[in-house]
Amino acid sequence: MKNILVLALSAVVAGLIYLCATSVMAVTNDDMYPTLPRGSHYVVNRYAYRSGDPHPGEIIVFKNLKMEKPAAKRVIGVPGDSLYMDEGLLIRNGKLLKEPYANTAPAKGIPELTVPEDHFFVLNDRRELSNDSRSNEIGLVKKSDIIGRVIFIF
């Protein structure tokens, strides 16, 4: 009986931790298609970056005062990275990136830049849509604006 009580209490505590540490969000646009199709949902780990920074390739969720809802985008550049993009080809630190997740239709390029401290360069997977770090609306994402990391898509 004691083991069942401990197991039940453990399940309740784990559930509460999960509810407090995560959020479920809906995809309402095609910016991250096909990774995040419109109508799908994703789980965000809000504690993912409390003790570390996002890594290239991860999908982060962040807030931006110019947008009414949080956005999910893929991290391409981290502080200190040098980036350049032309005709769908993305160069990071002098090396061509292989991006199997990216829809590399003709896209707005970026002039060479170095990502500053405490900022991240993010792109849509659907590159012809430039509502990402290439735009004035979003620009570079401040670490303090990051809500968390996408950990599950359904």
Side-chain angles (χ1 to χ4, degrees):
M1 181 70 174
K2 184 178 177 184
N3 289 341
I4 292 173
L5 184 59
V6 169
L7 183 61
L9 185 58
S10 297
V12 169
V13 169
L16 288 173
I17 290 171
Y18 176 79
L19 288 174
C20 292
T22 62
S23 297
V24 176
M25 298 185 171
V27 179
T28 59
N29 59 42
D30 295 319
D31 291 358
M32 290 295 292
Y33 182 84
T35 307
L36 298 174
R38 182 188 299 256
S40 64
H41 294 80
Y42 53 92
V43 177
V44 179
N45 177 348
R46 295 187 311 208
Y47 291 95
Y49 303 121
R50 297 284 171 135
S51 61
D53 288 341
H55 294 95
E58 294 179 343
I59 299 173
I60 63 170
V61 177
F62 58 93
K63 61 187 181 212
N64 181 305
L65 295 176
K66 296 179 183 176
M67 300 166 24
E68 59 181 78
K69 292 190 282 185
K73 308 288 180 192
R74 191 173 301 274
V75 174
I76 300 300
V78 299
D81 279 351
S82 173
L83 300 169
Y84 171 76
M85 186 167 121
D86 189 26
E87 296 184 27
L89 299 176
L90 185 57
I91 310 297
R92 182 177 61 218
N93 300 326
K95 297 180 181 170
L96 178 65
L97 287 182
K98 293 180 183 172
E99 302 180 286
Y101 47 78
N103 175 342
T104 55
K108 178 180 174 183
I110 56 169
E112 189 164 345
L113 66 91
T114 299
V115 180
E117 192 68 31
D118 292 324
H119 288 77
F120 298 86
F121 188 90
V122 297
L123 289 176
N124 296 316
D125 282 358
R126 193 165 170 198
R127 297 292 161 80
E128 73 271 16
L129 302 175
S130 62
N131 192 22
D132 51 31
S133 286
R134 296 171 290 172
S135 72
N136 291 330
E137 183 177 0
I138 293 179
L140 294 166
V141 176
K142 294 180 204 171
K143 183 175 182 181
S144 61
D145 289 340
I146 296 173
I147 295 168
R149 180 176 67 119
V150 173
I151 58 172
F152 185 71
I153 302 163
F154 60 100

